[in-house]
């Protein structure tokens, strides 16, 4: 077991290759109703990483957390109609659309509250597993305080037990 942050740079991460219940790298709406917890863009590394809570997802029953990693990112578009509030909210995935075009991975995500994300990269990785000790249900974003919400959600430093992973590598030279 390792933290999600450690997994992202682990040279052994491909050892988790196996088919999850749903493969978000190829299946349209594979992440439907998952909660987009956080997004990290690293300009120096050219990577975009999306962290999902799967406890409300329609396609997953055997795991509680997923991480989608896009490497050698060429384009990112982010749009949000949501006004910034003082409390964390859930951003449930309404649709996810993975495609490949000209040897590039293209990922489009639409979330509740008007969040839209699209990105293009040369490769992608999708990890599914468990953050131990997460409650069986997500926190109540209306009634719980920030501490209770944070304790009930996966985070970058959460210990993570990857169970399955899929990988999509570019088929064309740059």
């Amino acid at each position: 077991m390792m933290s999600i942050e450690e997994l992202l740079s682990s040279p052994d991460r491909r050892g988790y290759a196996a088919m999850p219940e749903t493969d978000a790298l190829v299946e349209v709406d594979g992440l439907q109703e998952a909660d987009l917890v956080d997004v990290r863009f690293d300009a120096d590394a050219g990577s975009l990483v999306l962290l999902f809570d799967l406890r409300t997802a329609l396609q997953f029953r055997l795991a509680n957390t997923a991480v989608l990693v896009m490497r050698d990112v060429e384009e990112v578009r982010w749009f949000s109609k949501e006004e910034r509030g003082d409390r964390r909210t859930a951003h449930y995935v309404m649709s996810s659309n993975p495609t490949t075009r000209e040897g590039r991975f293209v990922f489009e995500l639409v979330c509740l509250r008007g969040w839209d994300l699209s990105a293009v990269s040369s490769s992608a990785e999708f990890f599914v597993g468990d953050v131990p000790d997460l409650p069986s249900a997500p926190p109540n974003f209306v009634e719980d305080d920030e501490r209770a919400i944070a304790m009930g959600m996966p985070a970058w430093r959460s210990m993570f037990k990857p169970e399955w992973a899929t990988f999509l590598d570019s088929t064309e030279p740059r």
Side-chain angles (χ1 to χ4, degrees):
M1 194 164 12
M2 65 189 85
S3 74
I4 293 170
E5 287 178 330
E6 292 167 335
L7 172 68
L8 298 178
S9 60
S10 171
D12 300 325
R13 67 186 185 276
R14 286 189 181 255
Y16 296 103
M19 185 54 71
E21 295 168 279
T22 296
D23 185 356
L25 300 184
V26 295
E27 295 179 42
V28 173
D29 291 334
L31 290 167
Q32 193 169 20
E33 297 205 23
D35 182 2
L36 177 62
V37 176
D38 203 358
V39 177
R40 280 191 174 179
F41 178 65
D42 183 334
D44 290 333
S47 66
L48 180 70
V49 186
L50 292 76
L51 176 61
F52 296 94
D53 178 355
L54 298 178
R55 291 173 290 178
T56 55
L58 297 179
Q59 306 297 332
F60 293 91
R61 293 290 168 248
L62 301 176
N64 63 25
T65 303
V67 180
L68 193 149
V69 183
M70 298 177 70
R71 299 193 186 273
D72 298 320
V73 173
E74 299 168 3
E75 179 182 325
V76 176
R77 186 182 69 78
W78 177 268
F79 177 78
S80 173
K81 296 180 204 172
E82 182 179 39
E83 291 185 30
R84 236 0 243 142
D86 58 348
R87 292 184 53 85
R88 185 188 307 212
T89 59
H91 297 96
Y92 294 111
V93 175
M94 303 309 290
S95 70
S96 59
N97 187 17
T99 56
T100 53
R101 287 186 221 137
E102 299 173 0
R104 300 291 181 259
F105 177 67
V106 179
F107 189 70
E108 298 169 335
L109 188 71
V110 176
C111 294
L112 203 60
R113 293 181 167 67
W115 285 28
D116 264 347
L117 172 84
S118 64
V120 178
S121 67
S122 67
S123 65
E125 304 169 1
F126 181 60
F127 298 92
V128 178
D130 285 308
V131 170
D133 302 324
L134 277 184
S136 60
N140 183 321
F141 289 92
V142 175
E143 296 176 7
D144 290 346
D145 63 24
E146 280 299 312
R147 185 178 185 296
I149 292 171
M151 296 298 291
M153 295 297 290
W156 299 113
R157 294 188 182 198
S158 295
M159 294 308 293
F160 182 61
K161 184 179 180 209
E163 297 289 343
W164 309 278
T166 57
F167 301 87
L168 186 66
D169 295 312
S170 176
T171 57
E172 290 186 9
R174 292 187 106 178

